[in-house]
Amino acid sequence: MKKYLILVMMFTFLLSEDVILPYISPGLQLGVNNNFDIFISSQLTLGIYLINGPAIGATIGTRKFYTTEDKKWNSFVYNDYQIGSPGLGFGIGRVYYKKDVFLKYKAYIGYIALLTYDYIDFKKIKNHNMGIFGVLPLANYPMR
């Protein structure tokens, strides 16, 4: 997956005649899954934003969740790659939980306050998550 992200970024740089801004975006999410278990996530995204184009980023994060079945808090870490614009975005990545790796898909709408949806394929349990995400995208000076 990293190869594809690097290729997309290279083609974006080559084809772009616009200003490229690197950015960093910390975020905090509160949400609920399809079993009405609550969770909180924190993440950090590093990426590039093309003026008049998409934002492309790589994210690392952690999620703590309470399960009514276990009656305790658990956690996992994740990474993903995303592409979007202010207002709409999509991503795909991996969740690392109890020595296993699972696929994660996400979508979001909004800019600073985002409505989010993600799906994690835990093999035995299909986990749909919805939440509110607050992010603070900080762009750097133009690279060109």
Side-chain angles (χ1 to χ4, degrees):
M1 190 169 350
K2 290 179 184 178
K3 293 179 201 175
Y4 296 120
L5 178 66
I6 291 169
L7 284 174
V8 168
M9 290 176 75
M10 286 175 52
F11 282 115
T12 303
F13 283 127
L14 293 174
L15 298 175
S16 174
E17 295 182 16
D18 292 326
V19 175
I20 299 171
L21 299 174
Y23 74 91
I24 183 169
S25 182
L28 187 64
Q29 179 185 34
L30 299 172
V32 63
N33 69 13
N34 51 298
N35 295 324
F36 296 101
D37 296 329
I38 59 171
F39 66 86
I40 184 168
S41 298
S42 61
Q43 71 178 40
L44 183 66
T45 302
L46 302 173
I48 58 168
Y49 173 70
L50 302 170
I51 304 300
N52 299 322
I56 302 168
T59 299
I60 57 170
T62 184
R63 178 173 292 175
K64 294 193 180 295
F65 58 97
Y66 183 83
T67 59
T68 53
E69 182 180 307
D70 297 340
K71 304 240 186 279
K72 66 177 186 174
W73 287 91
N74 294 296
S75 66
F76 60 75
V77 295
Y78 62 91
N79 65 15
D80 59 54
Y81 303 101
Q82 60 192 38
I83 187 166
S85 63
L88 179 65
F90 303 95
I92 184 169
R94 292 187 178 119
V95 167
Y96 304 91
Y97 179 61
K98 293 186 178 180
K99 299 184 182 180
D100 288 317
V101 180
F102 305 98
L103 287 177
K104 175 181 182 262
Y105 306 92
K106 72 178 184 181
Y108 56 89
I109 58 172
Y111 181 59
I112 301 296
L114 310 170
L115 294 176
T116 63
Y117 166 80
D118 66 62
Y119 171 78
I120 303 169
D121 186 1
F122 281 119
K123 307 289 188 243
K124 294 179 184 175
I125 301 169
K126 307 306 182 198
N127 196 274
H128 300 271
N129 304 285
M130 292 145 286
I132 298 173
F133 221 128
V135 296
L136 183 60
L138 305 168
N140 202 347
Y141 58 90
M143 293 177 67
R144 289 189 189 193

